[in-house]
Amino acid sequence: MPHTRTAVDRTLAALRAVRRRGPAAHPLGAIAAQAALPLPAGRRPAPSGPHEAARRTPHGPLDPARAPHLFSAFPRGPQAPACLGAAAVRAALIGLQARTGHIALAYVPLLEGVPLRVHAEQALGPHQDSLLAAPRAALEALWRAPLATDASGWVIQAALAGPAPADAHLARLHAQGYAISATPVRGHDVVAAPVWRGAAVAGAVSLLVRHAELGGRPTRHRLAAEVMDTAAAVGRRLACAGAHRPPG
């Protein structure tokens, strides 16, 4: 996707800066400096508060420093498995795209400020040109938007809420393991499932489907099963990679 320092580029630069600094809480100023980004006026890192609490879920911690694992280049070693980093995630998405014929995407959560889902990897297949012809605002919202925007964020919200969410909508999504909704791109729906890295939610795998092609319940269930299987495979790879990371 051709970008020239768009909001998406700035977000990804910040995520990569957090990854390079390691799995810990870091001042916003330090992250902005490492990513060569301006720190918005009035923004100050808060050592505690609602966002700090949001990073700890009933399933375990979810820290922005760990979110970029979906597209990290994990260090390799003699015992490191082949299923590491962005290439493995991308390969899983390519497989999902090939099996279903639809656009496959991966998102990571960013929980600073308004909780977001941020695009990390994709397999567009033959749909690339038609997707990128969509209005810029719709694409920006597809790549980066609040968790409440669509199913790709809902499944992360449901995972963050724990095994028994108080919200009935999130409880239903948690129980069924996937969500389906409209998307910011007109005429397209999304089928999404959460990616677990051990005990913490690491993101979501999503399938972007033209509304006319989503079909009835059997088609929806088949696509949901494909997405959940891919999300589970990505989660196993992330857990496998984490087990082989050298101590920090």
Side-chain angles (χ1 to χ4, degrees), residues 129-149:
D129 291 343
S130 61
L131 176 65
L132 298 185
R136 182 180 181 85
L139 286 177
E140 289 285 354
L142 180 67
W143 305 140
R144 176 181 181 272
L147 294 182
T149 300

Side-chain angles (χ1 to χ4, degrees), residues 68-79:
H69 281 307
L70 273 176
F71 56 92
S72 295
F74 288 102
R76 294 183 179 274
Q79 296 182 329

Side-chain angles (χ1 to χ4, degrees), residues 9-119:
D9 297 319
R10 293 192 293 273
T11 299
L12 294 180
L15 287 170
R16 293 185 181 108
V18 171
R19 184 198 69 196
R20 289 194 294 270
R21 294 184 69 85
H26 303 292
L28 291 179
I31 295 171
Q34 185 153 2
L37 297 172
L39 185 63
R43 286 300 298 266
R44 296 290 184 271
S48 61
H51 302 316
E52 195 69 29
R55 294 191 191 105
R56 182 160 295 279
T57 78
H59 287 284
L62 194 160
D63 191 303
R66 304 194 68 81
H69 281 307
L70 273 176
F71 56 92
S72 295
F74 288 102
R76 294 183 179 274
Q79 296 182 329
C83 53
L84 299 183
V89 176
R90 195 174 303 117
L93 294 183
I94 289 171
L96 177 62
Q97 195 283 319
R99 291 192 303 275
T100 63
H102 301 295
I103 291 170
L105 304 166
Y107 293 94
V108 292
L110 180 62
L111 301 182
E112 285 291 342
V114 176
L116 303 175
R117 52 135 178 87
V118 180
H119 160 262

Side-chain angles (χ1 to χ4, degrees), residues 174-197:
H174 194 285
Q176 70 184 16
Y178 69 92
I180 300 176
S181 78
T183 73
V185 179
R186 185 176 180 180
H188 289 74
D189 293 334
V190 66
V191 184
V195 173
W196 293 96
R197 185 180 186 273

